[in-house]
Amino acid sequence: KRYVRYRPLQPTDAETFARWWTAGPDLTINEGGVRYANFVTTLFIPQRSILFGWPLLFFALALLVESFKKGAADSSSPRLWLRAGLIGSLLPLVHSHSFAVLAFCAVVMAARGDRSASLAFLRGVLPLALPAILFMAARNSLSPASFLAWQPGFDGGGAHPIKYWLMNAGLFLPLVAAGLASARGSSVRASFAAPFIALFALANLFRLSPWIWDNMKFLAPAHAG
């Protein structure tokens, strides 16, 4: 057998990598009006609980969307919503913002579903999620009132919101609008898109966290959705 001996990482190598990683201007947060942060460098790397939260969130959402697919048996919908609730029940222990996004999306989607599916979701999510939420609420040093306030415009976009988002999202939002226009008549796409459009609008009208920048944790899943 042959063994290869690897040279250990030297301090100078780490310093070189750090300089390379941080070199140049910040293209996603700067004084030129660009304030929509890069998801990888501002969410996934420093806030690693989101790496657990987002897969659970989008697995649960995929099950909810599955229940709206044309041809799915009516009896399958409660089972899909129950599974989504069971997955979502883990989110308060992992990433509370993702749980809030799932709860909001489930409420919006439930308006297009049947009552049995909504009750199945509650049976799946409440037994584990409710105790975790009550525990965190009792241990949280922040006032619950600080999590919601009227504050139009995300992080400086209140004066010229259309200009702000064209600068920060580029062609993404016009392409979304074109996609929605081309998807008219598709109840599945409408059911999936509606909560994310509403979430994007709410995050631009209200401060949903004690600090306005934390609205990114709602804008990012709305963007991804």
Side-chain angles (χ1 to χ4, degrees), residues 30-211:
N30 57 51
E31 299 300 323
V34 178
R35 302 290 299 169
Y36 197 46
N38 182 293
F39 295 169
V40 174
T41 56
T42 59
L43 294 177
F44 296 154
I45 292 177
Q47 305 178 42
R48 282 167 289 186
S49 61
I50 199 173
L51 298 178
F52 292 90
W54 268 35
L56 294 174
L57 168 63
F58 283 99
F59 271 126
L61 287 173
L63 291 171
L64 299 185
V65 174
E66 183 73 19
S67 69
F68 288 98
K69 279 190 174 180
K70 186 177 180 179
D74 292 340
S75 59
S76 67
S77 291
R79 291 198 299 272
L80 293 169
W81 281 68
L82 175 64
R83 294 170 188 168
L86 291 171
I87 294 173
S89 69
L90 302 173
L91 280 172
L93 302 172
V94 176
H95 194 246
S96 56
H97 285 84
S98 290
F99 177 77
V101 171
L102 176 61
F104 176 80
C105 292
V107 169
V108 176
M109 290 182 179
R112 301 177 63 89
D114 57 7
R115 184 179 178 184
S116 61
S118 303
L119 292 176
F121 181 83
L122 291 177
R123 288 199 303 271
V125 76
L126 287 181
L128 185 58
L130 185 59
I133 293 171
L134 293 176
F135 175 81
M136 289 188 293
R139 299 286 179 172
N140 195 344
S141 61
L142 297 172
S143 169
S146 65
F147 282 84
L148 181 63
W150 174 256
Q151 189 170 337
F154 166 67
D155 200 21
H160 304 284
I162 296 177
K163 176 183 177 182
Y164 175 88
W165 281 111
L166 286 176
M167 287 180 62
N168 283 273
L171 291 176
F172 175 75
L173 293 181
L175 288 173
V176 168
L180 293 173
S182 67
R184 285 181 299 179
S186 173
S187 60
V188 176
R189 293 184 184 181
S191 299
F192 186 67
F196 293 108
I197 294 171
L199 188 63
F200 179 83
L202 287 174
N204 276 276
L205 295 175
F206 295 91
R207 191 192 72 231
L208 302 176
S209 296
W211 301 277

